[in-house]
Amino acid sequence: MSGAGRTGGTRTGFDCDVLVVGGGIVGLSTAYALTRSTPGTRVVVLEKEPAPARHQTGRNSGVIHSGIYYRPGSLKARYATRGAAEMVKFCAEHGLPHRVTGKLIVATRRDELPRLHALVQRGRKNGIPVRELGPAQITEYEPQVRGLAAIHVGTTGVCDFAAVARALGEAAQAAGAEVRCGEEVVAVDRRPWGVAVRTASGAVVRARAMVNCAGLHSDRLARLTGDDPGVRIVPFRGEYYELADPSLVRGLVYPVPDPAFPFLGVHLTRGLDDHVHVGPNAVPALAREGYGWNVVHPRELASTLAWPGSWRIARRHWRYGAGELRRSLSKRAFTTAVRELLPAAEEDGLRRVPAGVRAQAVGRDGALVDDFLIHETSRVVHVLNAPSPAATASLPIGRAIASRARAHL
């Protein structure tokens, strides 16, 4: 892209002011925020798939998270609590399907009770109303669920995040943004005046600033710009079943999470279609988009294995990982885990449904990045860790990223 340097620094020399790479809900929310906050800003979104929201956005449980799990003061806590209310409002204003259901977080063992109490305190610090329940009150909400104690979180809900992403993209385009699908970025040329990218189709897009919202490929895109992201995306596949008898569960039921991990454990989610999803089970994926054990990309797998943090995770958490792997390979073991919450669950009453893949940033030291991670370098904003609850929090996240991008103009 040697010609890119000859475009100069004038506005007319650029194809857009801000180039957003990635057409998931975070990228499209960023484009939406840019067009709303600064009318006239020229925005282009490049998405490698034929349509937006094909990966994390379109393959999650659809839960609008309350923000109860996240460390007070963290980006996740601030954006999730704010984003949950905004997401419900956005869905209502745009006629998108959604439902505020509330959820139960249930302790089934005595050693979980202190962690459940800590969640109550954390929720209150985050400004989330919670109600503590005993065993009899649990059955009032969920007659088939058993536990020693629980908390009810009333602000949790469900929606269709892929539909939200499409609505964000349509609103951004109505305001002048351009969303180009089927355009995978393969090269980036960063100059003092801005950024030029080349796509697999041979198209070149020149921008004054770039936002990296590439999700599962965000660290690779960062390296294409010449930046060292300092983390590696390690893909974890979330495997789901659904209940053949959805009448067993009325709403949303979660176990008490282990604070050492960013995963919430096997939970029960009644969706907008009234099907009840069970999961996810979290196992390492053998490709960035490895939605099954049969999907293996040797180069991507080698990249994961070459990262020192991957081996340090394995050494530190091998016992937890072995349990997840066992539940992945054995439906009976998965059913046993489900029965801790739902004793009526039967192995032949579980049907496998499509999996998702979580883009989890991992440090060189093996630490799982716990919060949203956004890095800025010259002319570029990198979103390097935005797993759950990023869909819930996408509206405030998009505004924050848009603000950073505008500063580079």
Side-chain angles (χ1 to χ4, degrees), residues 228-308:
D228 177 6
V231 295
R232 183 69 49 89
I233 295 298
V234 175
F236 285 88
R237 185 169 62 256
E239 299 171 331
Y240 289 89
Y241 288 85
E242 71 176 18
L243 292 179
D245 180 6
S247 68
L248 293 175
V249 177
R250 291 177 173 176
L252 280 63
V253 184
Y254 282 63
V256 180
D258 186 335
F261 301 96
F263 311 109
L264 298 179
V266 173
H267 47 271
L268 310 164
T269 306
R270 178 176 284 274
L272 292 170
D273 57 5
D274 285 325
H275 292 183
V276 176
H277 279 69
V278 185
N281 189 57
V283 294
L286 305 181
R288 300 260 177 154
E289 297 165 16
Y291 296 110
W293 285 115
N294 61 332
V295 182
V296 183
H297 290 177
R299 183 175 296 180
E300 294 179 356
L301 179 58
S303 174
T304 296
L305 295 176
W307 183 243

Side-chain angles (χ1 to χ4, degrees), residues 42-341:
R42 297 177 301 167
V43 181
V44 171
V45 179
L46 297 182
E47 166 54 46
K48 72 180 181 66
E49 300 295 347
R54 287 292 181 90
H55 294 291
Q56 291 184 106
T57 300
R59 287 177 170 263
N60 60 50
S61 61
V63 173
I64 302 173
H65 289 286
S66 65
I68 191 171
Y69 299 111
Y70 314 117
R71 177 175 51 82
S74 66
L75 293 179
K76 281 187 176 183
R78 286 165 27 212
Y79 291 158
T81 51
R82 190 182 315 155
E86 291 186 23
M87 184 58 62
V88 171
K89 182 180 178 183
F90 183 90
C91 288
E93 290 176 346
H94 289 78
L96 300 176
H98 67 288
R99 190 184 301 156
V100 179
T101 59
K103 77 173 175 184
L104 297 185
I105 303 174
V106 181
T108 58
R109 303 190 309 270
R110 290 197 174 278
D111 63 349
E112 294 175 337
L113 294 175
R115 299 208 307 263
L116 185 69
H117 181 69
L119 271 183
V120 171
Q121 301 307 312
R122 176 167 284 193
R124 288 172 178 162
K125 287 180 181 177
N126 288 338
I128 300 162
V130 296
R131 181 187 175 204
E132 298 180 72
L133 309 177
Q137 294 166 305
I138 293 172
T139 58
E140 290 176 11
Y141 283 97
E142 293 286 353
Q144 298 296 329
V145 171
R146 297 293 178 266
L148 300 176
I151 55 179
H152 180 260
V153 186
T155 53
T156 303
V158 290
C159 72
D160 181 345
F161 285 122
V164 172
R166 289 191 293 269
L168 288 167
E170 289 165 3
Q173 289 178 94
E178 186 178 355
V179 179
R180 303 182 191 174
C181 294
E183 294 284 9
E184 180 178 3
V185 173
V186 296
V188 180
D189 185 9
R190 187 162 62 184
R191 300 295 179 89
W193 49 260
V195 178
V197 308
R198 186 176 72 245
T199 70
S201 71
V204 174
V205 181
R206 299 173 177 85
R208 298 170 68 198
M210 186 182 97
V211 176
N212 168 11
C213 288
L216 286 158
H217 303 277
S218 57
D219 59 332
R220 293 172 56 196
L221 183 60
R223 290 194 295 276
L224 280 180
T225 70
D227 292 329
D228 177 6
V231 295
R232 183 69 49 89
I233 295 298
V234 175
F236 285 88
R237 185 169 62 256
E239 299 171 331
Y240 289 89
Y241 288 85
E242 71 176 18
L243 292 179
D245 180 6
S247 68
L248 293 175
V249 177
R250 291 177 173 176
L252 280 63
V253 184
Y254 282 63
V256 180
D258 186 335
F261 301 96
F263 311 109
L264 298 179
V266 173
H267 47 271
L268 310 164
T269 306
R270 178 176 284 274
L272 292 170
D273 57 5
D274 285 325
H275 292 183
V276 176
H277 279 69
V278 185
N281 189 57
V283 294
L286 305 181
R288 300 260 177 154
E289 297 165 16
Y291 296 110
W293 285 115
N294 61 332
V295 182
V296 183
H297 290 177
R299 183 175 296 180
E300 294 179 356
L301 179 58
S303 174
T304 296
L305 295 176
W307 183 243
S310 300
W311 294 100
R312 289 175 176 138
I313 289 174
R315 285 196 298 269
R316 193 176 302 158
H317 301 304
W318 68 269
R319 198 179 300 273
Y320 180 93
E324 295 290 307
L325 184 61
R326 184 173 66 254
R327 288 187 287 274
S328 173
L329 301 175
S330 168
K331 189 178 180 182
R332 178 174 296 179
F334 187 92
T335 306
T336 299
V338 176
R339 282 179 178 157
E340 291 190 22
L341 283 173

